[in-house]
Amino acid sequence: MVSLLLVSLLLYILPGISCLSRDERSFGLSYNGGKIMTEPVAVSVIWFGTDWEKSGQEVIRNGISSLSPSRYGFEGSEVPTLGSWWNIIRQYTNISNAPVTDEVDVGAECFYVGSQLNMTMDRMIGIGRSVFNQTSIDGTSGNLTCTRVFEVNDRTIYHIVFSHTVMFDDDQRDLVDLCRGNFAVEVFAGVNVTMAWARAPQKQSDQCSTFFRGDHYLGPPNGDEKIDSLVGYVLGNIAEEVTNQDGRGWKGNDGSDWTVSSYCGSVFEGERGDPPLFMDVERNVSFNAAGLNGYRYILQYVWDQNIKNCAMKPSETCGNNALAFKQPKGHLHVGIIANHTTGLQPYPPNQKCRWKIQYPTAKFISFTINYLSFAVDSNDQLVICQSDSGPAQCSIFQSNDERYKKSFKIKGSKAYVEFTSGELVSFDSRGWELTYSAGLCSGKEDVYDRKGVIGYSPSDGYSYTKGLSCQWILHGKAGTPVALSFSHINISEDFDFLAIYNGTTHQITNFSGIYSSSDLPVLNLTGEIMIEFATQTDKGDGWSANFYMSSPVDQKKKSLLIVIVVVLGGVLIGFSLALFTLALVRSRKDTNRTELDSRVEFDSHSILMRAEVNGEESRIGEGSSSIVYRGISTDGKFIALKSPKHPTFGIKLEEEILLKTSLHPNIISLVGYVEDGIRGRNLVFEFMDRGSLSWNLRERGEALDWERRLEIAVQISSAIQMLHMYLKPRICHRNITSENVLLDENYNAKLGGFGAAKYCTIDEMPSEMGGDIWSFGLLLVELLTGKPVINRNASEFCERFEVVDEALRGQDCLDRRLAIPREECEKMGLTKLGEIAKWCIGRGENGPKIGDVVLGLKQVKLLFCSVPS
Ligand SMILES: *[C@@H]1O[C@H](CO)[C@@H](O)[C@H](O)[C@H]1NC(C)=O
Ligand SMILES: *[C@@H]1O[C@H](CO)[C@@H](O)[C@H](O)[C@H]1NC(C)=O
Ligand SMILES: *[C@@H]1O[C@H](CO)[C@@H](O)[C@H](O)[C@H]1NC(C)=O
Ligand SMILES: *[C@@H]1O[C@H](CO)[C@@H](O)[C@H](O)[C@H]1NC(C)=O
Ligand SMILES: *[C@@H]1O[C@H](CO)[C@@H](O)[C@H](O)[C@H]1NC(C)=O
Ligand SMILES: *[C@@H]1O[C@H](CO)[C@@H](O)[C@H](O)[C@H]1NC(C)=O
Ligand SMILES: *[C@@H]1O[C@H](CO)[C@@H](O)[C@H](O)[C@H]1NC(C)=O
Ligand SMILES: *[C@@H]1O[C@H](CO)[C@@H](O)[C@H](O)[C@H]1NC(C)=O
Ligand SMILES: *[C@@H]1O[C@H](CO)[C@@H](O)[C@H](O)[C@H]1NC(C)=O
Ligand SMILES: *[C@@H]1O[C@H](CO)[C@@H](O)[C@H](O)[C@H]1NC(C)=O
Ligand SMILES: *[C@@H]1O[C@H](CO)[C@@H](O)[C@H](O)[C@H]1NC(C)=O
C-alpha cells in the first residue's frame, strides 16, 4: 500500500480556450526549461461513471497503445497513423535535447461505478488520490475496483475518463475545458504526478461531439460518437502531458498556456477551414488517423515545429530535387493528399523542387491537375514547363481556382514541374497533385515509307492515354496494294477504337477488344489508307501493326499538295499573305511540320493542323498594327488569325504572355502560330462568335441585358486579376477597351488585344496597373450607358465622371435600349456598379486594386435579382 502524502497542491490548470486564430497567437511554442517525459510512459485509466461499454473502452485502450511509432509508425503511408502523429510529438525535447518517449502503453486501470455526479474540481482530485489506496471517494457513493494497486511515480499519467452520464456543474464548465478536460500536477507521497481528465459528450449534438462538420454528420470512426470524441481528447491530453510534465515544458512562446495540441484546437474543431478527412469506404466512416487492429480515429491536430503549422504527421519535404520520371505515366504531389481530392494538412514551407519528365518517344505530355490548394495571397506556385528545346515555356498555377482542375498538353517529350513554397504557409494551403502521361501520337502523322511499324504501345505494363485522337495516313499511290498486319491489339471495348479508312473518309472497319495472336487481323487494301485511334479511357495497352506499301507517294510532292490546300482557299490579299504562304512552303519542307502548328495544346480535341484563310472576305478586324482574318481549321472549327502589318517584335512578347494566361477562361486562347519569315509570327486564336463587346453594345440589334453586362464585368475583372495578381512577372494589359473584350456564343467574355501588354516592373505597377483599372472603370461606364467612350483625355474624364453620377442619381444615362429597372435589387446593383466605376476612374494611382474591384463586383452580383452566383 502506497502511503499518500496529502499535499493537495494544484499546480496549474490549463485554460481551455481555443478560438483564437493562429495569427492572433504569437507564432509557435517555446520550451520553458521544465520536465518532459522522455522515459516510457504508462497511461493508467480511471473509468468513472456508469454506462461504459467494453467495446468503447477497447477503442480508448487501443488508441493509447497505438501511439508508439515502433508499434504503428506506418512510415511513408499517405494515411497518418497514431504512431506517425506521435512522431510530431517526438520533435519536442528537453534541455539536453532528449526527445519525448516513443513508448506509450496502457497501465493499471480502475473502475469507479458511481451514480450521476455533480462533478467538482475537488472531487476530481479526490478521485485521483483514491486510486492509490482504493478507497471510495469522499462525498460520493460508489465502488472502486482496480486491476492492481497503483504506484505513485512520474512515468505514469493518471487519466480519468468520465462517461457521458457524469454531470459537471456550471462553475466547472468555466474552470475546465468541458470537452478536452484538462490536466493538473498533484503531489502524492512526495512525487509530482500528472493527472488528466476528459469527458464523453452526452449526445450527438453536444458541442463536445467532433462528428459534425457544419450540418453534416460524419459517421464516428468506431461506431460511437461519445467514445470517438472522447478518445480524441484523451490522446490530445497525453500529448500535452508528455511535453509539459511539470507545467514548465513546451508552451506558447508569448507566455500563454497553449500546448502542443491545444494550440491547434480550432483546427480540430474545424474553425480554420474543415480539415478534410479520409473515408473508410467499407464502413462509411471518416477518420484522420489509423490505429492498430483496424481502429480509426479523429485526432486533434498538433503543432509541428518543422513546418510551423498544425499537422497530423511529419511533413514530407520535396528536397529530392531534379527527380526524373522516365515512365510514360506518373503521379506527383506535394502535401499530404487524402483520397486524391483533398489535402489533409499544409505542405512544408521553403520548398523548391523540380521533377523532370522525360519519355523519349512522346509526342506530347498531358497533365491533369487533380487537386491544387494554395492560399490566394501566397507566393507559392506550381509551374509546368515544356523543356524540349529552346527556352522553357511554362504555365503557372497559383490559386485554388476550380478552372485549373483540367487537363492540358505540352508538346514534346520533355517537361518539368516545379513547386515552390514560401516562408509561411497558411493552413489552407494543402498542396497539389497531378498526373501526367506521355502521349505517343500527335494528331495526324503522314507515312511515306515503303514498310515499317506503326502503333501506339507504351512500355510494358502501362496503358495508353485518355483522350487520344490520332491518325496515321499511309500514302500509297492510288490503286496500288497496301497491307496492314496487326501484331497486337488491346483496346478497351467501352469507348475506345481503332478505325481503318479507305482514303480519309470512308470507314472500312474498326477494332476494339483484346485479340489473341491467332486472331489478329491482316488487311489487304489499296491506295491511301487512314488509321484512326481514339480513346476516352485508358483501359488497354494499345496496338501495333506492320505495314507494307508497294508504291508510296513521293513525300516532297505530297507536302506541296498540302500547301496548295491551304492556299486554295482564295486569292490571298496583298503582298503580306503571299509571303506568308511562301513561308509556309518553306517551313513545310524544312521541318515537315504542319502549317499552323500549335505549340502548346490545351485540349486534345482541338489540335490544330491546318487552316484555310479565305482572302479579303474573311477579314474580320483591323488594329493599328495587325489585321485579323477568320479561318477554318481542319477539324472544322473557326479560328482567328492575327497577321502583323509590319515586322514587329511585340508579337513575340504577346505570344509569350498569352501562353502564360491561356488557361484563364476569360482570356482569349492562343491556339497556335504561323511563322512568316518576313513579318514574324501570325498568331492563331480561338474564334469568338459574337465579336467584340463594343459591337455588341452598339451595332448589334439585340441589346445585352443587365445580367449579361454584369457577368461580363465580373469575367473581365477576373481576367485582369489574373494578370495583376497571379502571374509572375505581373502583366499590365494597357489597352482595356470594349473592342478588346470578345464574346463567345454563350456571351462569355474574354479579354484580348494583348498587343500593348507588357511585364510590369515594381516601379511601373502603380501607374500601369492603375491605368488598367481606370480603363476598366470606363468599360463599366460603357456597359452602363451603352455609349462609346470617345476620347480618353482629361476633359472626357470629367464628362464620364458626371455620367456616372447621373447614372447613380436618376438612371437617365443608363442604356436606353433596356428598360429602366423596376426591381429594387436591380436598381441597387446598377447603382453599386456605377459606384465601382467611379471608384476605378476617380483615384488614379491611389485607386482600388483589382482584388478590391473583383470583390466589389462579386458583391454586386449577390445584390442582383436573378443572377445565379
Ligand atoms: C533530458 O532527458 C534525458 C533522457 O531521459 C535525461 O537523461 C536528462 O536528465 C533530461 N534533462 C533534463 C534537464 O531534464
Ligand atoms: C452542483 O453543485 C452545485 C454546488 O456545488 C450546485 O449549486 C448545483 O446546483 C449542483 N448541480 C446539480 C445538477 O446538482
Ligand atoms: C486513502 O485515501 C483517503 C482519502 O483519499 C485518505 O483519507 C486515507 O487516509 C488514505 N488511506 C491510506 C491508507 O493512505
Ligand atoms: C459495492 O459493491 C458491493 C458488492 O458488489 C455492493 O454490495 C454494494 O452495494 C456496492 N456499493 C455501491 C455504493 O454501489
Ligand atoms: C514538484 O513540482 C514542484 C513545482 O514545480 C517542484 O518545486 C518540486 O520540486 C517537485 N517535486 C518533485 C518531487 O519533483
Ligand atoms: C454514409 O453515412 C452517411 C452519414 O451517416 C449517410 O448519410 C449515408 O447515407 C451513408 N452512406 C452509405 C452508403 O451507407
Ligand atoms: C474518394 O472519395 C470519393 C468521394 O468522396 C469516393 O467515391 C471514393 O471511393 C474515395 N476513394 C478512396 C480510395 O477512398
Ligand atoms: C477504296 O476506294 C477506292 C476508290 O475510292 C475504291 O475503288 C475501292 O473499292 C475502295 N475499297 C474499299 C475496300 O472500300
Ligand atoms: C465500327 O463499325 C461498326 C460497323 O461497321 C459501326 O456501326 C460503328 O459505328 C463503328 N464504330 C466506330 C467507333 O466507328
Ligand atoms: C493478303 O495478302 C497476302 C499476301 O499477298 C495473302 O497471303 C493474304 O491471304 C491476303 N489476305 C486477305 C484477307 O486477302
Ligand atoms: C490489356 O491492357 C490492360 C491495360 O494496360 C492490361 O491490364 C491487360 O493485362 C492487357 N491484357 C492483355 C491480354 O495483354
Side-chain angles (χ1 to χ4, degrees):
M1 183 73 68
V2 178
S3 72
L4 267 181
L5 188 68
L6 287 181
V7 189
S8 175
L9 173 65
L10 191 65
L11 288 181
Y12 65 97
I13 297 168
L14 291 175
I17 330 142
S18 59
C19 41
L20 292 182
S21 80
R22 200 181 70 203
D23 298 340
E24 291 168 87
R25 304 164 192 179
S26 72
F27 204 60
L29 303 175
S30 59
Y31 179 55
N32 295 289
K35 283 174 81 176
I36 68 169
M37 298 175 97
T38 54
E39 301 294 324
V41 168
V43 180
S44 279
V45 184
I46 298 120
W47 305 95
F48 196 99
T50 55
D51 235 20
W52 286 107
E53 281 174 19
K54 284 203 160 44
S55 58
Q57 292 174 317
E58 206 41 48
V59 170
I60 293 172
R61 286 189 195 103
N62 188 79
I64 294 168
S65 47
S66 302
L67 288 176
S68 304
S70 58
R71 253 176 260 139
Y72 202 44
F74 222 41
E75 293 308 327
S77 154
E78 283 193 354
V79 178
T81 64
L82 268 52
S84 58
W85 180 82
W86 194 259
N87 272 334
I88 302 177
I89 308 299
R90 297 205 74 223
Q91 293 171 358
Y92 292 85
T93 54
N94 73 8
I95 195 96
S96 19
N97 262 337
V100 161
T101 181
D102 61 355
E103 269 187 59
V104 183
D105 212 343
V106 183
E109 295 174 61
C110 288
F111 302 83
Y112 192 95
V113 182
S115 54
Q116 295 213 342
L117 277 175
N118 186 345
M119 191 50 64
T120 65
M121 185 60 76
D122 282 349
R123 279 196 182 130
M124 284 187 227
I125 302 302
I127 294 164
R129 274 180 220 133
S130 66
V131 299
F132 298 117
N133 66 6
Q134 297 199 12
T135 57
S136 64
I137 295 156
D138 189 33
T140 65
S141 55
N143 276 342
L144 183 72
T145 25
C146 297
T147 51
R148 58 183 148 87
V149 174
F150 277 23
E151 279 178 49
V152 181
N153 65 44
D154 60 2
R155 294 179 310 279
T156 305
I157 293 167
Y158 304 88
H159 205 307
I160 307 168
V161 288
F162 295 108
S163 75
H164 67 283
T165 55
V166 178
M167 310 294 248
F168 286 75
D169 71 22
D170 292 344
D171 293 348
Q172 298 310 311
R173 278 167 195 264
D174 292 341
L175 249 182
V176 300
D177 181 330
L178 192 61
C179 306
R180 183 180 304 120
N182 233 313
F183 81 95
V185 179
E186 275 285 308
V187 182
F188 295 127
V191 179
N192 288 343
V193 301
T194 39
M195 279 177 47
W197 52 91
R199 165 185 167 272
Q202 283 169 352
K203 51 182 183 291
Q204 261 181 27
S205 57
D206 192 307
Q207 55 169 307
C208 299
S209 167
T210 50
F211 298 99
F212 274 93
R213 290 291 153 97
D215 293 336
H216 183 58
Y217 180 64
L218 308 166
N222 301 296
D224 179 343
E225 72 274 5
K226 299 187 205 80
I227 294 296
D228 283 320
S229 297
L230 174 63
V231 69
Y233 296 125
V234 169
L235 300 179
N237 284 341
I238 295 172
E240 289 187 5
E241 287 175 66
V242 295
T243 52
N244 264 311
Q245 189 176 4
D246 60 0
R248 290 178 296 115
W250 288 88
K251 295 204 281 178
N253 57 13
D254 57 353
S256 68
D257 279 325
W258 297 114
T259 63
V260 62
S261 73
S262 68
Y263 200 64
C264 294
S266 54
V267 171
F268 183 60
E269 284 145 28
E271 284 173 22
R272 286 196 242 149
D274 290 336
L277 299 165
F278 290 91
M279 274 296 288
D280 183 324
V281 180
E282 224 163 89
R283 282 187 272 174
N284 189 24
V285 295
S286 311
F287 66 99
N288 65 12
L292 289 166
N293 303 315
Y295 286 92
R296 301 277 180 261
Y297 297 90
I298 295 188
L299 289 193
Q300 172 74 67
Y301 277 62
V302 288
W303 185 253
D304 182 329
Q305 300 194 90
N306 294 338
I307 67 168
K308 296 192 176 63
N309 228 317
C310 297
M312 281 305 298
K313 60 181 264 188
S315 220
E316 289 165 36
T317 55
C318 60
N320 199 353
N321 215 355
L323 213 58
F325 284 74
K326 295 192 169 161
Q327 59 272 38
K329 275 172 198 252
H331 175 92
L332 311 178
H333 76 246
V334 159
I336 296 186
I337 305 298
N339 193 6
H340 297 197
T341 52
T342 39
L344 199 64
Q345 67 183 38
Y347 45 78
N350 298 321
Q351 302 292 299
K352 183 174 179 68
C353 355
R354 184 184 274 206
W355 295 261
K356 287 183 192 161
I357 297 164
Q358 296 169 0
Y359 198 69
T361 54
K363 297 286 197 305
F364 63 87
I365 298 170
S366 67
F367 289 88
T368 304
I369 295 182
N370 306 322
Y371 172 72
L372 186 89
S373 169
F374 297 157
V376 171
D377 50 358
S378 74
N379 290 329
D380 306 349
Q381 62 180 19
L382 179 69
V383 177
I384 300 178
C385 301
Q386 195 246 48
S387 58
D388 228 5
S389 60
Q393 293 163 19
C394 303
S395 302
I396 300 172
F397 302 91
Q398 277 185 306
S399 76
N400 307 351
D401 213 308
E402 282 291 317
R403 63 179 168 246
Y404 294 135
K405 285 183 188 163
K406 64 178 198 173
S407 306
F408 58 97
K409 290 179 177 178
I410 280 183
K411 195 151 194 166
S413 62
K414 290 183 190 163
Y416 68 85
V417 174
E418 195 173 80
F419 169 68
T420 40
S421 66
E423 180 68 31
L424 292 181
V425 173
S426 109
F427 188 75
D428 304 336
S429 298
R430 299 208 179 100
W432 53 271
E433 185 204 58
L434 62 78
T435 42
Y436 75 85
S437 59
L440 308 179
C441 66
S442 66
K444 204 167 281 191
E445 275 176 37
D446 293 296
V447 179
Y448 299 100
D449 298 331
R450 183 174 296 275
K451 58 181 186 176
V453 181
I454 53 169
Y456 192 109
S457 28
S459 35
D460 285 349
Y462 288 97
S463 47
Y464 49 73
T465 301
K466 282 182 193 170
L468 294 170
S469 169
C470 305
Q471 294 99 34
W472 290 259
I473 300 178
L474 301 184
H475 290 282
K477 262 188 200 142
T480 63
V482 175
L484 203 56
S485 154
F486 286 89
S487 50
H488 176 74
I489 300 179
N490 175 354
I491 297 172
S492 163
E493 278 174 336
D494 292 345
F495 298 102
D496 309 339
F497 64 88
L498 181 68
I500 316 292
Y501 294 78
N502 185 8
T504 51
T505 50
H506 174 66
Q507 194 183 110
I508 302 167
T509 180
N510 61 50
F511 305 105
S512 57
I514 298 173
Y515 283 70
S516 69
S517 50
S518 54
D519 294 338
L520 285 163
V522 179
L523 303 174
N524 292 336
L525 306 159
T526 57
E528 191 183 68
I529 303 298
M530 183 172 86
I531 298 126
E532 180 183 28
F533 181 44
T535 65
Q536 287 183 45
T537 79
D538 51 8
K539 296 184 200 149
D541 63 11
W543 61 278
S544 63
N546 297 297
F547 67 87
Y548 171 78
M549 287 188 264
S550 65
S551 183
V553 167
D554 180 33
Q555 181 175 358
K556 286 212 170 108
K557 281 187 192 156
K558 184 65 189 177
S559 75
L560 275 174
L561 210 75
I562 292 177
V563 175
I564 290 166
V565 172
V566 175
V567 183
L568 257 183
V571 184
L572 291 167
I573 46 132
F575 194 52
S576 94
L577 282 190
L579 281 173
F580 146 50
T581 43
L582 280 180
L584 287 185
V585 177
R586 230 191 359 257
S587 76
R588 174 89 215 154
K589 275 187 188 154
D590 290 346
T591 62
N592 192 25
R593 281 163 75 176
T594 45
E595 287 73 26
L596 298 182
D597 197 351
S598 76
R599 291 205 307 183
V600 180
E601 294 145 7
F602 293 100
D603 179 340
S604 61
H605 301 295
S606 66
I607 299 173
L608 184 72
M609 300 296 296
R610 280 179 274 166
E612 295 174 37
V613 172
N614 213 0
E616 188 66 62
E617 69 191 57
S618 55
R619 178 202 281 245
I620 50 172
E622 182 166 354
S624 54
S625 59
S626 56
I627 303 176
V628 182
Y629 300 97
R630 184 173 78 170
I632 300 181
S633 68
T634 39
D635 59 358
K637 286 185 185 146
F638 285 123
I639 51 103
L641 185 135
K642 181 174 174 183
S643 177
K645 285 181 178 170
H646 310 287
T648 162
F649 295 109
I651 213 148
K652 192 90 184 152
L653 178 62
E654 179 176 2
E655 181 186 339
E656 192 179 314
I657 288 176
L658 283 161
L659 283 173
K660 293 189 178 200
T661 58
S662 51
L663 286 180
H664 195 287
N666 303 111
I667 294 180
I668 191 88
S669 296
L670 182 67
V671 293
Y673 66 86
V674 182
E675 197 65 62
D676 159 350
I678 299 206
R679 277 160 213 284
R681 285 172 196 258
N682 300 255
L683 298 184
V684 180
F685 293 94
E686 65 179 317
F687 185 78
M688 300 292 285
D689 293 270
R690 291 186 188 272
S692 71
L693 174 62
S694 67
W695 188 69
N696 277 270
L697 282 176
R698 291 184 278 282
E699 286 164 47
R700 229 181 124 81
E702 168 203 357
L704 296 172
D705 62 27
W706 291 126
E707 288 164 35
R708 288 219 165 103
R709 293 182 195 210
L710 176 56
E711 195 54 45
I712 289 168
V714 170
Q715 290 176 345
I716 295 303
S717 70
S718 140
I720 301 172
Q721 187 177 34
M722 168 96 171
L723 304 177
H724 285 192
M725 285 173 65
Y726 297 147
L727 291 177
K728 282 203 189 130
R730 312 282 190 218
I731 290 166
C732 300
H733 185 279
R734 311 203 305 161
N735 196 9
I736 294 169
T737 65
S738 58
E739 284 80 26
N740 285 334
V741 170
L742 302 159
L743 303 181
D744 73 10
E745 57 176 343
N746 300 319
Y747 293 97
N748 286 314
K750 302 199 183 190
L751 184 61
F754 279 75
K758 59 179 272 190
Y759 296 125
C760 260
T761 63
I762 300 235
D763 295 340
E764 291 165 332
M765 276 182 204
S767 65
E768 295 288 6
M769 287 184 178
D772 280 353
I773 304 283
W774 185 76
S775 308
F776 181 70
L778 293 181
L779 189 81
L780 292 181
V781 173
E782 215 174 320
L783 282 167
L784 284 168
T785 62
K787 291 184 195 125
V789 178
I790 308 147
N791 183 342
R792 290 166 178 257
N793 65 24
S795 62
E796 175 68 16
F797 178 96
C798 298
E799 194 187 318
R800 288 297 138 207
F801 223 71
E802 283 155 21
V803 166
V804 174
D805 277 337
E806 227 183 294
L808 295 183
R809 277 199 308 272
Q811 282 124 11
D812 280 352
C813 279
L814 293 180
D815 194 331
R816 284 166 197 273
R817 285 177 302 165
L818 294 178
I820 297 290
R822 294 223 176 84
E823 308 260 12
E824 207 41 51
C825 42
E826 211 163 276
K827 266 190 212 158
M828 222 155 75
L830 293 180
T831 306
K832 274 254 175 279
L833 202 60
E835 275 166 9
I836 292 174
K838 199 171 159 183
W839 191 29
C840 293
I841 298 169
R843 307 249 179 91
E845 291 186 10
N846 301 320
K849 300 278 172 289
I850 188 65
D852 307 326
V853 176
V854 169
L855 219 67
L857 287 172
K858 284 188 176 154
Q859 279 162 7
V860 174
K861 216 169 131 172
L862 288 179
L863 281 178
F864 234 71
C865 316
S866 47
V867 180
S869 59

